Amino acid sequence: MAEIATIARPYAEALFKVVHAQAAQAVEWLDALAVVAADPGLQQFAHDPKVSHRQVLELIAQVGPKSLPPAGLNFLTTLVENGRLSVLPEIAVQFHALVDAQSGVRKAVVHSAFPIEGAALDELTKVFEKRFGHKLNVQVAHEPELIGGVRVVVGDEVLDTSVKARLEQMKVALTA
């Protein structure tokens, strides 16, 4: 996994420098390209030695975003020619992180024993934004094994108030 991230980082940073002013629009077409590039059939087609780079680009043009700007087309061409099409989904992830950092927003993943939606999610987001001191882009991951409570991951910071974590702490205290 680290190898893919290492390969993707320079591409994401280069794309961010090129489309800096239009980063919000680039997110849309980059996400669409990432979905197409993640398809196993396309990956197999792109890695076939009998298939030219032009054929791969034509196929992506048919199934991918319809209005790809010149910067997007150049970026896609570079990836295909360098054999890095399979890294495109990770490039999109890292590009999102750069756009979020530019706007002062951080990604937060709330692992919860129960689904959280609507007003409850908005309320929780406000609490965590105050706690972490940043505007947060919150995603919820449902994990019933937490039993109750939540575990919040923002960057390298973790706030674990789950019942499972409390039980583990009690276990350690009792066995010490």
Side-chain angles (χ1 to χ4, degrees), residues 1 3 6 14 19 44 52 80 83 88 93 109 126 141 148:
M1 187 68 168
E3 184 178 319
T6 303
V19 300
Q44 185 178 9
S52 70
V80 170
L88 188 53
V93 168
V109 180
K126 290 176 188 175

Side-chain angles (χ1 to χ4, degrees), residues 45-116:
F45 181 75
H47 287 94
D48 187 339
K50 297 176 186 172
V51 175
S52 70
H53 296 308
R54 180 182 272 311
Q55 290 172 309
V56 173
L57 290 169
E58 288 173 358
L59 177 62
I60 293 171
Q62 291 174 3
V63 297
K66 299 302 175 205
S67 58
L68 198 59
L73 184 58
N74 289 340
F75 181 71
L76 181 61
T77 302
T78 301
L79 291 177
V80 170
E81 289 176 352
N82 291 327
R84 300 293 192 205
L85 189 61
S86 62
V87 184
L88 188 53
E90 178 62 24
I91 293 171
V93 168
Q94 293 196 20
F95 187 81
H96 274 275
L98 292 169
V99 171
D100 287 348
Q102 174 193 13
S103 63
V105 175
R106 294 180 70 190
K107 180 181 174 187
V109 180
V110 176
H111 302 269
S112 172
F114 303 99
I116 304 172

